[in-house]
Coordinates of all heavy atoms in Angstrom, one line a residue:
A425 N 3.1 -10.1 -9.9 CA 1.7 -10.4 -10.3 C 1.7 -10.8 -11.8 O 1.0 -11.7 -12.2 CB 0.8 -9.2 -10.1
T426 N 2.5 -10.1 -12.6 CA 2.5 -10.4 -14.0 C 3.1 -11.8 -14.3 O 2.6 -12.5 -15.1 CB 3.4 -9.3 -14.7 OG1 2.9 -8.1 -14.4 CG2 3.3 -9.5 -16.2
Q427 N 4.2 -12.1 -13.5 CA 4.9 -13.4 -13.8 C 4.3 -14.6 -13.0 O 4.7 -15.7 -13.3 CB 6.4 -13.2 -13.5 CG 7.1 -12.3 -14.4 CD 8.4 -11.7 -13.8 OE1 9.0 -12.4 -13.0 NE2 8.7 -10.5 -14.2
F428 N 3.4 -14.3 -12.1 CA 3.0 -15.3 -11.2 C 2.4 -16.6 -11.9 O 2.7 -17.7 -11.5 CB 1.9 -14.7 -10.2 CG 1.3 -15.7 -9.3 CD1 1.9 -16.2 -8.2 CD2 0.0 -16.2 -9.6 CE1 1.3 -17.1 -7.4 CE2 -0.6 -17.2 -8.8 CZ 0.1 -17.6 -7.7
H429 N 1.6 -16.3 -12.9 CA 0.9 -17.5 -13.5 C 1.9 -18.4 -14.3 O 1.6 -19.6 -14.4 CB -0.2 -17.0 -14.4 CG -1.3 -16.4 -13.6 ND1 -2.2 -17.1 -12.9 CD2 -1.6 -15.1 -13.3 CE1 -3.0 -16.3 -12.2 NE2 -2.7 -15.1 -12.5
Q430 N 3.0 -17.9 -14.8 CA 4.0 -18.7 -15.5 C 4.7 -19.6 -14.5 O 4.9 -20.8 -14.6 CB 5.0 -17.9 -16.3 CG 4.5 -17.4 -17.7 CD 3.8 -16.1 -17.5 OE1 4.3 -15.3 -16.7 NE2 2.8 -15.8 -18.3
N431 N 5.3 -18.9 -13.4 CA 6.2 -19.5 -12.5 C 6.2 -18.8 -11.2 O 7.0 -17.9 -11.0 CB 7.6 -19.6 -13.2 CG 8.5 -20.4 -12.4 OD1 8.3 -20.6 -11.1 ND2 9.5 -20.9 -13.0
P432 N 5.4 -19.2 -10.2 CA 5.3 -18.4 -9.0 C 6.6 -18.3 -8.2 O 6.9 -17.3 -7.7 CB 4.2 -19.2 -8.2 CG 3.6 -20.1 -9.1 CD 4.4 -20.3 -10.3
E433 N 7.3 -19.4 -8.2 CA 8.6 -19.5 -7.5 C 9.6 -18.5 -8.0 O 10.2 -17.7 -7.3 CB 9.1 -20.9 -7.6 CG 9.9 -21.3 -6.4 CD 10.4 -22.8 -6.6 OE1 9.7 -23.6 -7.2 OE2 11.6 -23.0 -6.2
Q434 N 9.7 -18.5 -9.3 CA 10.6 -17.6 -10.0 C 10.2 -16.1 -9.9 O 11.0 -15.2 -9.7 CB 10.7 -18.0 -11.5 CG 11.9 -17.5 -12.2 CD 11.9 -18.0 -13.6 OE1 11.7 -19.1 -13.9 NE2 12.2 -17.1 -14.6
A435 N 8.9 -15.9 -9.9 CA 8.3 -14.6 -9.8 C 8.6 -14.0 -8.5 O 8.9 -12.8 -8.3 CB 6.8 -14.6 -10.1
L436 N 8.6 -14.8 -7.4 CA 8.7 -14.3 -6.1 C 10.2 -14.2 -5.6 O 10.5 -13.4 -4.7 CB 7.9 -15.2 -5.1 CG 7.7 -14.5 -3.7 CD1 6.8 -13.3 -3.8 CD2 7.1 -15.5 -2.7
Q437 N 11.1 -14.9 -6.3 CA 12.5 -15.0 -5.8 C 13.1 -13.6 -5.5 O 13.7 -13.4 -4.5 CB 13.3 -15.9 -6.7 CG 14.6 -16.3 -6.0 CD 14.4 -17.0 -4.7 OE1 13.7 -18.0 -4.7 NE2 15.1 -16.6 -3.6
P438 N 13.1 -12.7 -6.5 CA 13.7 -11.4 -6.2 C 13.1 -10.7 -5.0 O 13.8 -9.9 -4.3 CB 13.5 -10.6 -7.5 CG 12.9 -11.5 -8.5 CD 12.5 -12.8 -7.8
Y439 N 11.8 -10.9 -4.8 CA 11.1 -10.3 -3.6 C 11.5 -10.9 -2.3 O 11.7 -10.3 -1.3 CB 9.6 -10.4 -3.8 CG 9.0 -9.6 -4.9 CD1 9.1 -10.1 -6.3 CD2 8.6 -8.3 -4.7 CE1 8.6 -9.3 -7.3 CE2 8.1 -7.5 -5.8 CZ 8.2 -8.0 -7.1 OH 7.7 -7.3 -8.1
I440 N 11.7 -12.3 -2.4 CA 12.2 -13.0 -1.2 C 13.6 -12.4 -0.8 O 13.9 -12.1 0.3 CB 12.3 -14.5 -1.4 CG1 10.9 -15.0 -1.5 CG2 13.0 -15.2 -0.3 CD1 10.8 -16.5 -1.9
N441 N 14.5 -12.3 -1.8 CA 15.9 -11.8 -1.6 C 15.8 -10.4 -1.0 O 16.6 -10.1 -0.1 CB 16.7 -11.8 -2.9 CG 16.8 -13.2 -3.5 OD1 16.5 -14.2 -2.8 ND2 17.2 -13.2 -4.8
T442 N 15.0 -9.5 -1.5 CA 14.9 -8.1 -1.1 C 14.3 -8.1 0.4 O 14.8 -7.3 1.2 CB 14.1 -7.3 -2.0 OG1 14.6 -7.6 -3.4 CG2 14.2 -5.8 -1.8
A443 N 13.2 -8.8 0.6 CA 12.6 -8.8 1.9 C 13.5 -9.3 2.9 O 13.6 -8.8 4.0 CB 11.3 -9.6 1.8
Q444 N 14.3 -10.4 2.6 CA 15.2 -10.9 3.6 C 16.3 -9.9 3.9 O 16.7 -9.7 5.1 CB 15.8 -12.2 3.1 CG 16.6 -13.0 4.1 CD 15.7 -13.4 5.3 OE1 14.7 -14.1 5.1 NE2 16.0 -12.9 6.5
A445 N 16.8 -9.2 2.9 CA 17.8 -8.2 3.2 C 17.2 -7.1 4.0 O 17.9 -6.6 4.9 CB 18.3 -7.6 1.8
A446 N 16.0 -6.7 3.8 CA 15.3 -5.7 4.6 C 15.2 -6.1 6.1 O 15.5 -5.4 7.0 CB 14.0 -5.3 4.0
V447 N 14.7 -7.4 6.2 CA 14.5 -7.9 7.6 C 15.9 -8.0 8.3 O 16.0 -7.6 9.5 CB 13.9 -9.3 7.5 CG1 13.9 -10.0 8.9 CG2 12.4 -9.2 7.0
N448 N 16.9 -8.4 7.6 CA 18.2 -8.5 8.2 C 18.7 -7.1 8.7 O 19.5 -7.0 9.7 CB 19.3 -9.0 7.2 CG 19.0 -10.5 6.9 OD1 18.2 -11.1 7.6 ND2 19.6 -11.0 5.8
M449 N 18.3 -6.0 8.1 CA 18.7 -4.7 8.5 C 17.7 -4.0 9.4 O 17.8 -2.8 9.7 CB 19.0 -3.8 7.3 CG 20.1 -4.3 6.4 SD 20.9 -3.0 5.4 CE 22.0 -2.3 6.5
G450 N 16.7 -4.8 9.8 CA 15.7 -4.2 10.8 C 14.6 -3.4 10.2 O 13.9 -2.6 10.9
L451 N 14.4 -3.5 8.9 CA 13.3 -2.8 8.2 C 12.1 -3.7 8.1 O 12.2 -4.9 7.9 CB 13.7 -2.4 6.8 CG 14.8 -1.4 6.7 CD1 15.2 -1.2 5.2 CD2 14.3 0.0 7.2
G452 N 10.9 -3.1 8.3 CA 9.6 -3.8 8.1 C 9.3 -4.0 6.6 O 9.8 -3.2 5.8
V453 N 8.5 -4.9 6.3 CA 8.2 -5.2 4.8 C 6.7 -5.1 4.6 O 5.9 -5.9 5.2 CB 8.7 -6.6 4.4 CG1 8.4 -6.9 2.9 CG2 10.2 -6.7 4.6
N454 N 6.3 -4.2 3.7 CA 4.9 -4.1 3.2 C 5.0 -4.5 1.7 O 6.1 -4.6 1.1 CB 4.4 -2.7 3.3 CG 4.2 -2.3 4.8 OD1 4.2 -3.1 5.7 ND2 4.0 -1.0 5.0

Side-chain angles (χ1 to χ4, degrees):
T426 308
Q427 293 160 27
F428 174 78
H429 293 283
Q430 281 89 34
N431 187 337
E433 209 179 325
Q434 199 177 316
L436 196 64
Q437 196 56 52
Y439 292 85
I440 293 174
N441 299 345
T442 311
Q444 192 58 59
V447 169
N448 292 348
M449 294 202 85
L451 293 171
V453 177
N454 296 344

